[in-house]
């Protein structure tokens, strides 16, 4: 599986992932509710969640994760692996975790109705919940959560923000795309993220309770000033981090 900016088995900093400052602040400064990170397999979702958790103050907060499998060891954080053969599902692990009264919960993937229900309950009762979903864009996370049998009014009440991301190849710093020994003639070395962060506004929450589609929510997000992944990618092209072809390839559904 593709991993972004690997550093010897340790999580990277959010600032290393290529996040614009406003997106970084929106991910790092969460205090309550639910933050969902969306994208296909290999888009760096788990890397982003680990980086967000690494910024939390473990001396002031009790942080617990449920993962399948765990990918890094996080100092000061309790990490619980899922073991389906032994009956330890995401849902069963979450129920156990909530009895420990954590402040922050990270769920490796929200993949079934039971997990989604417990996650929403946790967010409703004052916990900060991080999780991932497989959707094509940020707005698509809302109907996907409703597809997992979460009532629209609870989605509107608990989801605070949704982050969508993709990875694009980073231009080689030594040759800037011409090809050299460092990049093995490819012109690229490493990867960088392109991001879209939707903060749910009051208008969007009202629309969710009235059955808005993902496209309608995306339109409301654009009107509220949300920058798309394509827009973020174009900024990175102008800054010399990647190419327009890379951005188009990664953000074309």
């Amino acid at each position: 599986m593709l991993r972004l900016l690997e550093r010897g088995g340790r999580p990277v900093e959010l600032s290393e992932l290529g996040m614009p400052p406003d997106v970084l602040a929106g991910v790092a400064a969460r205090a309550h509710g639910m933050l969902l990170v969306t994208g296909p397999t290999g888009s760096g979702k788990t890397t982003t969640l680990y980086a967000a958790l690494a910024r939390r103050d473990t001396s002031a907060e009790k942080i617990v994760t449920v993962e399948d499998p765990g990918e890094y060891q996080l100092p000061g954080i309790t990490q619980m692996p899922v073991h389906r053969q032994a009956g330890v599902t995401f849902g069963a692990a979450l129920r156990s975790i909530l009895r420990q009264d954590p402040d922050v919960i990270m769920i490796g993937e929200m993949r079934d109705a039971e997990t989604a229900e417990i996650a929403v309950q946790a967010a409703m009762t004052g916990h900060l919940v991080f999780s991932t979903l497989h959707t094509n864009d940020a707005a698509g996370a809302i109907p996907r959560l409703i597809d997992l049998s979460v009532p629209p009014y609870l989605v509107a009440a608990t989801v605070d923000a949704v982050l969508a991301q993709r990875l694009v190849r980073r231009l080689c710093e030594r040759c800037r795309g011409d090809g050299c020994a460092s990049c093995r003639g490819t012109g690229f070395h490493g990867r960088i993220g392109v991001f879209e962060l939707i903060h749910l506004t009051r208008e969007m929450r009202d629309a969710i309770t009235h059955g808005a589609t993902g496209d309608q929510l995306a339109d409301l997000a654009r009107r509220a000033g949300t920058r798309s992944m394509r827009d973020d990618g174009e900024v990175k092209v102008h800054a010399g981090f990647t190419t327009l072809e890379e951005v188009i390839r990664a953000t074309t559904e």
Side-chain angles (χ1 to χ4, degrees):
M1 183 180 291
L2 189 61
R3 285 293 171 252
L4 177 62
L5 296 172
E6 183 76 21
R7 290 291 186 270
R10 293 175 293 136
V12 299
E13 282 285 334
L14 280 173
S15 57
E16 295 180 73
L17 302 176
M19 283 186 182
D22 58 329
V23 175
L24 192 154
V27 172
R30 304 252 65 82
H32 52 75
M34 187 183 299
L35 171 72
L36 298 172
V37 181
T38 74
T41 299
S43 58
K45 300 185 298 296
T46 303
T47 298
T48 294
L49 288 183
Y50 274 118
L53 290 180
R55 283 199 163 210
R56 313 295 302 189
D57 183 358
T58 57
S59 66
E61 295 179 314
K62 185 173 185 178
I63 304 173
V64 184
T65 74
V66 184
E67 306 168 67
D68 181 23
E71 297 173 24
Y72 300 107
Q73 291 296 314
L74 298 172
I77 294 176
T78 301
Q79 296 174 262
M80 179 179 291
V82 168
H83 195 298
R84 292 182 180 80
Q85 291 81 0
V88 184
T89 63
F90 274 104
L94 273 172
R95 291 185 192 281
S96 173
I97 281 171
L98 287 175
R99 289 194 288 270
Q100 303 174 33
D101 195 27
D103 299 297
V104 182
I105 303 168
M106 191 271 269
I107 305 165
E109 183 180 350
M110 207 173 295
R111 60 177 66 171
D112 56 55
E114 181 188 22
T115 304
E117 177 189 2
I118 300 169
V120 166
Q121 289 175 356
M124 283 288 291
T125 53
H127 303 84
L128 173 59
V129 179
F130 292 105
S131 191
T132 71
L133 279 172
H134 287 270
T135 61
N136 289 330
D137 57 17
I142 301 303
R144 173 61 182 142
L145 203 51
I146 293 170
D147 286 344
L148 291 174
S149 301
V150 179
Y153 75 94
L154 285 181
V155 174
T158 56
V159 177
D160 193 43
V162 184
L163 176 73
Q165 63 182 68
R166 296 291 189 278
L167 298 181
V168 296
R169 292 184 295 174
R170 184 193 288 263
L171 283 170
C172 177
E173 294 182 358
R174 294 192 178 182
C175 67
R176 285 296 169 191
D178 292 331
C180 65
S182 178
C183 63
R184 299 182 181 179
T186 66
F188 297 96
H189 191 273
R191 288 172 173 78
I192 192 170
V194 293
F195 303 93
E196 173 188 5
L197 180 65
I198 292 179
H199 291 281
L200 266 64
T201 62
R202 181 180 297 275
E203 186 178 11
M204 292 181 69
R205 295 181 194 279
D206 289 342
I208 291 168
T209 61
H210 289 91
T213 66
D215 287 342
Q216 290 170 330
L217 293 172
D219 184 56
L220 289 174
R222 283 192 292 271
R223 292 187 207 172
T226 297
R227 182 175 53 242
S228 70
M229 287 185 286
R230 178 72 59 87
D231 293 338
D232 184 41
E234 289 176 355
V235 170
K236 290 179 169 70
V237 170
H238 291 304
F241 290 120
T242 189
T243 67
L244 184 59
E245 292 76 14
E246 273 293 293
V247 171
I248 292 173
R249 175 193 61 76
T251 59
T252 299
E253 306 303 340

